[in-house]
Amino acid sequence: MASLAEKRVEHLEIVENIVEQADAEQSSAQPEGRPEELRLLEALLFASSEPLDTASLAKRMPEGVDIKAALAQLQADYAMRGVNLVRVANKWTFRTAGDLAWLMTRESTETRKLSRAAIEVLAIIAYHQPVTRAEIEEIRGVVTSKGTLDVLLETGWIRPRGRRKTPGRPLTFGTTEAFLSQFSLEALGDLPGLEELKGTGLLDSRLPSGFSVPVPSDDPALREDEDPLEDGELELALAPPVEPEGDAEG
Amino acid sequence: MASLAEKRVEHLEIVENIVEQADAEQSSAQPEGRPEELRLLEALLFASSEPLDTASLAKRMPEGVDIKAALAQLQADYAMRGVNLVRVANKWTFRTAGDLAWLMTRESTETRKLSRAAIEVLAIIAYHQPVTRAEIEEIRGVVTSKGTLDVLLETGWIRPRGRRKTPGRPLTFGTTEAFLSQFSLEALGDLPGLEELKGTGLLDSRLPSGFSVPVPSDDPALREDEDPLEDGELELALAPPVEPEGDAEG
Amino acid sequence: MSAEILSFETGRPAVAEQQADDDVALVVDVEGYEGPLDLLLNLARQQKVDLAKISILALADQYLAFIEAARKIRLELAADYLVMAAWLAFLKSRLLLPEPPSEEGPSAEEMATALANRLRRLEAIREAANRLMARPQLQRDIFTRGQPEAIAEIKHPKFTATLFDLLSAYAAQRQQRVLATVHLAKRTVWSLAEARASLERLVGVAEEWSRLDEYLTAYVLDPSQRATVFASSFAAALELVREGTMEVNQKQAFAPLYFRKRMPVAAPDATAAPETPVQ
């Protein structure tokens, strides 16, 4: 694990890149003549606890504002600050800077630690989705206890997304937006080490089915070998109700 | 793996270094060399679920930071932004700028069906305009509730257009352009007359011979028996704003 | 899976430490990794070579030795572990013996490679899991706005009504009103009740046979009402006859209709208000 000092250096490097990019795009970014749209964006994003996508931002902003450029500028403005503008699950939100975690411990609510089994199952779902319980067990070489999946469902980070078109029609699992949000991932492609895993072919866990696609995807659109869940099945599988963000920590 | 306590110490050291540096450079507080304590304050205030007073900020911040000066600096930094640092009851918190309150509202339209009574009154106003409330009641044979007219005024499809030159000088009502556009009428004269209504079966063909349907006109010019509304009366007639909910139906 | 789960976090036959304890075999899986594949992976790590180059033969020996050690101290093993042991013993024998010429199914080499791949895959996913969990996490390392400001919702009602609604409401309203007015203002129909009340008054004075139509024409001023008056009166007359307060007489069809008061047997209550419902 990287030390905190290293992390901070990393953070600064990222920040410098962002700032350079933004400066290149908008050479005349003087603080006084700060465009009003930045104030508006700031206010909207700051006020909300939920990440907002560009479409809903555009809906609230005056006509004709280049939302993407304004977001890039705002991201640069805040890159050096204690609060950063980040993109998670393709939505924008302000969050405290990652290197200040030590300062924020008191804000931290009771965090439940996931068991190693749960972490492993979560990783398998994230990297191999859509994936069935049998496939998870094939990778781990052990039966997954019901409790492990329940705990993960309760976090709101995974969801049953369909049924595999194989005998027994087992549920397929995938990750949610809350998962991306929890781990500050813009998209599933940003999963750490995904490229290496793809390279080794180790992602191809699928039992021979003729449909194997060795790239994880949380695209809600079902794959060819997936059937939709029936009405009401989702509620059953997901109960109890999960808060969209917030208390879903590990 | 380092314990949390160790982490915290490590961090404090890093931070102290940074703070020392910042102190050394403090005289020249250019945006790049922004003192670390401002980042810390920013993050704390952003994430806190309630406004914080200087004492509790001081408790969380590294030793030796001049909290008041830092807060003043931060307040200045944010003064022009969409989010301001404000002091409420001696506690500090971020709030969206007061002039952006409009941004913090979401306007939505909700579709509502007009009550039967309202449609009847509307139809009578359309055919018999300019018409007073008493005349509407005469035609309908029932007292019209205030709420019904209020709802119709809220639709923007009717308007008070003058006052009848009779004792009590009652308001006369007529339809608006919005009425025409709602019902896809090019002109009010396109409303079907007696024969057409009979032809469509809406009117019984065996009605007594004296029965007539007026030829409607929404000519804004006042009739002989109408006085103009006085200045400001229009607003009065339209006020008070009608609560969207509830008893506004006749 | 059975309740007895072994901990193979170290992969060592940590059994030695357990020997001092009584025979009840239980090593709880503290860290949550479990199962024979996990044990194999931990044993493989002891070979300190790339998993791709691991000696499956050596690994099988290690595993079997571990199981043997566990059995010696009567450590209760979950069935999974024994199944794996049996499979590894089989694989080992296949690897040691020369391949039979026409073997169906995978060769021993292929089976060994498949096992090595499974181990690599498990190791890779664990590495990925570690990297995932090392990322700054929400509400643990990084935080969202603590006091989100609610967005106030202003609802604008949008009213709906169609031209059909409008016209049908208007037509129904006007029509209903017009018909109601007609009813109240001028009645063109002489109701049975009215006819009966009139007849009863007439019968009171008509002790002799009298022509019904004489009275009626005298009574009714508006000739347009003749028909309805006559019809209602006739119906009312029949009713009074049935009740026994009146007699009627007619010589032949279309001849004048005569009536008179019926001589009372008992005292009929001729003044009773008509109760018959109208029409």
Side-chain angles (χ1 to χ4, degrees), chain A residues 140-143, chain C residues 1 5-6 8 33-44 59 63 66-67 78-85 88 115 118-119 122 126:
Chain A
R140 296 187 63 227
V142 74
V143 172
Chain C
M1 168 134 218
I5 300 172
L6 293 173
F8 299 114
Y33 284 0
E34 62 218 49
L37 205 60
D38 182 83
L39 168 57
L40 270 175
L41 185 56
N42 281 292
L43 292 174
L59 190 61
Y63 186 93
F66 179 90
I67 298 295
D80 291 359
Y81 293 88
L82 303 178
V83 171
M84 177 62 88
L88 283 174
L115 178 62
R118 280 189 74 189
L119 292 174
L122 182 59
R126 282 189 184 169

Side-chain angles (χ1 to χ4, degrees), chain A residues 46-47 49 60 95-96 98 101 104 108 116-117 119-120 123 127 138-139 182-184 196-197 202 245, chain C residues 9 31-33 37 118 121 124 126 128-129 131-133 135 137-139 141-143 145 148-149 151:
Chain A
F46 218 89
S49 63
R60 312 274 295 282
R95 289 194 173 168
T96 58
M104 312 302 297
S108 178
R116 278 179 64 188
I119 290 172
E120 210 168 283
Y127 286 81
E138 162 72 15
I139 294 172
Q182 177 68 25
F183 295 98
S184 300
E196 294 103 294
L197 277 171
L202 291 175
E245 254 199 53
Chain C
E9 170 59 10
E31 297 291 342
Y33 284 0
L37 205 60
R118 280 189 74 189
R121 201 160 63 201
R126 282 189 184 169
R131 291 177 69 174
L132 184 65
M133 297 314 279
R135 286 184 69 83
Q137 284 193 51
L138 191 64
Q139 306 306 78
D141 307 305
I142 60 178
F143 294 85
R145 177 83 193 269
E149 289 165 63
I151 286 184

Side-chain angles (χ1 to χ4, degrees), chain B residues 46-49 51 93-96 104-112 114 119-120 122-123 127-128 138-141 154-155 179 182-183 192 202-204 208 211-212 214, chain C residues 139-179 182:
Chain B
F46 172 84
S48 169
S49 57
T93 188
F94 280 116
R95 285 282 153 79
T96 52
M104 294 296 119
T105 57
R106 190 201 325 249
E107 314 219 341
S108 68
T109 53
E110 53 167 5
T111 307
R112 283 171 52 188
L114 279 185
I119 291 179
E120 272 177 24
L122 176 63
Y127 275 95
H128 296 260
E138 165 74 18
I139 294 169
R140 290 185 69 216
E154 203 187 344
T155 62
F179 171 85
Q182 167 69 26
F183 295 102
L202 287 170
L203 274 182
D204 196 319
F211 185 84
S212 68
Chain C
Q139 306 306 78
R140 189 192 74 182
D141 307 305
I142 60 178
F143 294 85
T144 56
R145 177 83 193 269
Q147 309 166 73
E149 289 165 63
I151 286 184
E153 186 138 62
I154 301 174
K155 286 188 177 165
H156 294 288
K158 183 182 187 303
F159 293 92
T160 59
T162 64
L163 190 60
F164 177 78
D165 293 339
L166 191 74
L167 298 180
S168 57
Y170 181 70
Q173 173 63 38
R174 289 292 315 277
Q175 193 158 267
Q176 181 193 347
R177 193 79 182 113
V178 161
L179 293 179
V182 166

Side-chain angles (χ1 to χ4, degrees), chain B residues 15-63:
Chain B
V15 167
E16 270 160 19
N17 288 340
I18 292 165
V19 171
E20 276 166 22
Q21 282 179 343
D23 283 347
E25 298 168 5
Q26 205 175 27
S27 51
S28 59
Q30 70 277 59
E32 294 311 313
R34 199 154 168 273
E36 182 72 359
E37 64 243 38
L38 295 189
R39 293 186 74 228
L40 304 180
L41 270 183
E42 239 162 25
L44 280 177
L45 288 164
F46 172 84
S48 169
S49 57
E50 53 195 29
L52 296 171
D53 58 21
T54 43
S56 41
L57 283 170
K59 221 180 290 172
R60 309 275 296 277
M61 295 280 289
E63 295 267 317

